[in-house]
Amino acid sequence: VLELHIRTPYVLIVSDGARAVPAVLQSMMAALDTQTHVVAVPVGPSPLRCVGLRVDLRRWTLRYGAEGGCGAVEGTAALLMRSEDLFNLSYPTESPSDTSIFIQASLRGWKLRVLHRGFPSAPSPLSSPHDVWKAKSSTDSRRRRLMEEFGIKLEVLEDGRQRWYGCNKESQRCFGTVLARTPRYLLQGRWTPPCCLRALRETAKHVVEVLEGSGVRYWLEGGSLLGAVRLRDVIPWDYDVDLGVYRDDVAKCPWLREAQKGPVEDEEGFVWETAAEGGFFRVHYSRSNRLHVDLWPFFPRAGVMTKDTWLGHPQDVEFPERFLLPTVPLPFAGFTAMGPNNPRQFLELKFGPGAVEEPQYPNPAVLRLRREEMTQ
Ligand code: ZN
Ligand code: MG
């Protein structure tokens, strides 16, 4: 329907109070070329400043900085575009319009050019502190909506400050039930949202502190051990953290004892429970946000670690107890957790040869990791 309202070959997107100057408009039109699809000029006395912009949809992240040329501008700007370019955008009228256009331009590899000469702006009417606050809070909520629209959960500003839009302790988890070990975001070509990775790290650190405090022997398991060995962190597409525990130590931990009677929330809001699937424990980030750490109880029998319930995952196998005699400290997710000694050998036993060097999605039968994804 936008086409019905705009019949000119160019569109000027401009804030209230700007006064267009024909000569400036002429130079803006002249600056559009085959690569340049957006031209910006300042509105009012302050010059515009170029900021690099990198849109990383896979990681749900926007990064502003010195790198990436001129991807966005700081300051009040008027933007000129060809009308057909505007019509071609998926979100042509989303606001804040400048941020929305910068993001879409960056995704399409369109160049943004800044001209120095701009438009004067009419003096703004005197505004009370309340009006200023109202304007800011409405900009904030529109920005929040825009980020939701584009699936951006984290903005990293030029000075390193971060703006988060994703899940937290009070909200729900960003993704629904995981089917066939393949969370939906993988099917959408994305990795675990950064807010979720952050919550997983925080939950894992908390659980490890509680286990160590109560003398429960534990070790990093499965994909979490793989992440620790590969990159000292949660694998960027993983959706939970897995720990093994000695079954006979479970009773040493008050929260695990409580969890056997039913779900229980600890002082820091983490929820401990026995998993519905049975035979293991699950610690959730919070009552509402079900990001979790799984605890798999194993016991030794004739030198082999075994357990009562098997869920049929390929890596869900018995292993020699010698891998735990002793366990060794491994950097993981910003803290130190214990893992099996000879972790590489342990991982190859569980996942097969080359498991550490050749990253793969949790269920390659559903979705395989493509080589080129690793470098993006
Ligand atoms: Zn999240
Ligand atoms: Mg896992």
Side-chain angles (χ1 to χ4, degrees):
V1 284
L2 204 56
E3 287 90 330
L4 296 178
H5 297 283
I6 299 172
R7 293 170 181 283
T8 51
Y10 299 99
V11 201
L12 183 71
I13 299 157
V14 70
S15 54
D16 292 342
R19 283 184 290 197
V21 177
V24 174
L25 275 173
Q26 287 298 335
S27 60
M28 290 175 91
M29 285 188 276
L32 289 171
D33 58 36
T34 46
Q35 277 105 49
T36 309
H37 293 249
V38 186
V39 176
V41 298
V43 173
S46 318
L48 295 177
R49 205 171 68 83
C50 269
V51 198
L53 172 62
R54 276 184 299 152
V55 186
D56 187 349
L57 289 182
R58 195 180 289 292
R59 293 175 186 79
W60 313 73
T61 301
L62 283 190
R63 277 171 213 284
Y64 298 92
E67 274 174 67
C70 187
V73 296
E74 237 170 49
T76 311
L79 307 179
L80 185 87
M81 292 177 72
R82 290 183 200 93
S83 302
E84 54 174 321
D85 284 342
L86 185 74
F87 299 155
N88 273 325
L89 295 181
S90 314
Y91 303 98
T93 59
E94 222 69 20
S95 77
S97 50
D98 46 358
T99 310
S100 165
I101 286 167
F102 297 150
I103 293 172
Q104 295 178 89
S106 162
L107 286 170
R108 283 155 192 258
W110 288 356
K111 233 176 94 185
L112 162 68
R113 252 190 85 183
V114 176
L115 304 181
H116 294 294
R117 221 182 126 206
F119 300 134
S121 67
S124 67
L126 284 180
S127 46
S128 66
H130 180 71
D131 288 339
V132 171
W133 174 83
K134 248 174 61 184
K136 176 162 181 348
S137 110
S138 102
T139 308
D140 284 352
S141 72
R142 279 182 297 156
R143 190 208 304 279
R144 188 162 284 281
R145 270 211 308 276
L146 183 72
M147 295 307 157
E148 201 170 307
E149 203 77 68
F150 285 115
I152 298 298
K153 311 256 183 214
L154 171 63
E155 275 186 293
V156 182
L157 307 185
E158 214 179 355
D159 60 6
R161 271 184 307 133
Q162 302 182 335
R163 284 200 286 245
W164 292 85
Y165 303 98
C167 64
N168 54 50
K169 206 120 184 168
E170 282 72 47
S171 74
Q172 291 195 317
R173 185 170 81 172
C174 292
F175 54 95
T177 308
V178 175
L179 300 171
R181 290 180 288 132
T182 307
R184 250 190 82 76
Y185 54 78
L186 281 185
L187 300 172
Q188 296 162 339
R190 294 185 164 204
W191 288 347
T192 313
C195 46
C196 300
L197 288 172
R198 185 170 69 157
L200 279 176
R201 293 184 191 108
E202 194 182 325
T203 311
K205 182 169 193 267
H206 175 72
V207 170
V208 159
E209 278 167 5
V210 169
L211 296 179
E212 289 181 353
S214 41
V216 176
R217 289 166 292 170
Y218 74 93
W219 61 96
L220 289 166
E221 259 292 342
S224 302
L225 180 63
L226 205 47
V229 171
R230 215 183 265 158
L231 38 93
R232 304 175 161 219
D233 199 0
V234 179
I235 290 176
W237 51 81
D238 207 355
Y239 53 86
D240 69 1
V241 167
D242 295 297
L243 301 176
V245 293
Y246 271 83
R247 188 188 65 180
D248 293 345
D249 289 354
V250 163
K252 294 182 185 171
C253 172
W255 297 114
L256 289 177
R257 273 204 312 274
E258 281 297 310
Q260 283 172 315
K261 296 176 226 154
V264 56
E265 186 176 332
D266 69 22
E267 300 98 330
E268 290 172 58
F270 297 91
V271 177
W272 300 65
E273 65 176 36
T274 49
E277 294 92 331
F280 66 103
F281 297 91
R282 195 159 260 186
V283 187
H284 297 279
Y285 184 45
S286 75
R287 201 169 279 278
S288 54
N289 191 332
R290 313 300 274 178
L291 286 161
H292 56 256
V293 173
D294 284 335
L295 302 174
W296 304 93
F298 281 81
F299 57 90
R301 183 198 285 145
V304 171
M305 295 303 286
T306 186
K307 59 194 172 85
D308 294 326
T309 347
W310 301 93
L311 292 181
H313 299 168
Q315 73 271 27
D316 202 14
V317 293
E318 296 181 330
F319 61 91
E321 191 185 16
R322 67 176 161 81
F323 283 110
L324 306 176
L325 303 172
T327 52
V328 298
L330 295 172
F332 176 67
F335 61 101
T336 300
M338 302 309 281
N341 63 68
N342 270 307
R344 187 172 288 266
Q345 203 189 341
F346 181 91
L347 285 166
E348 298 215 324
L349 175 91
K350 293 229 163 187
F351 292 97
V356 175
E357 290 76 16
E358 292 154 38
Q360 200 38 263
Y361 285 152
N363 191 348
V366 173
L367 192 69
R368 296 195 64 81
L369 177 71
R370 287 170 295 123
R371 279 274 143 243
E372 63 269 24
E373 290 181 298
M374 284 312 297
T375 50
Q376 280 167 19

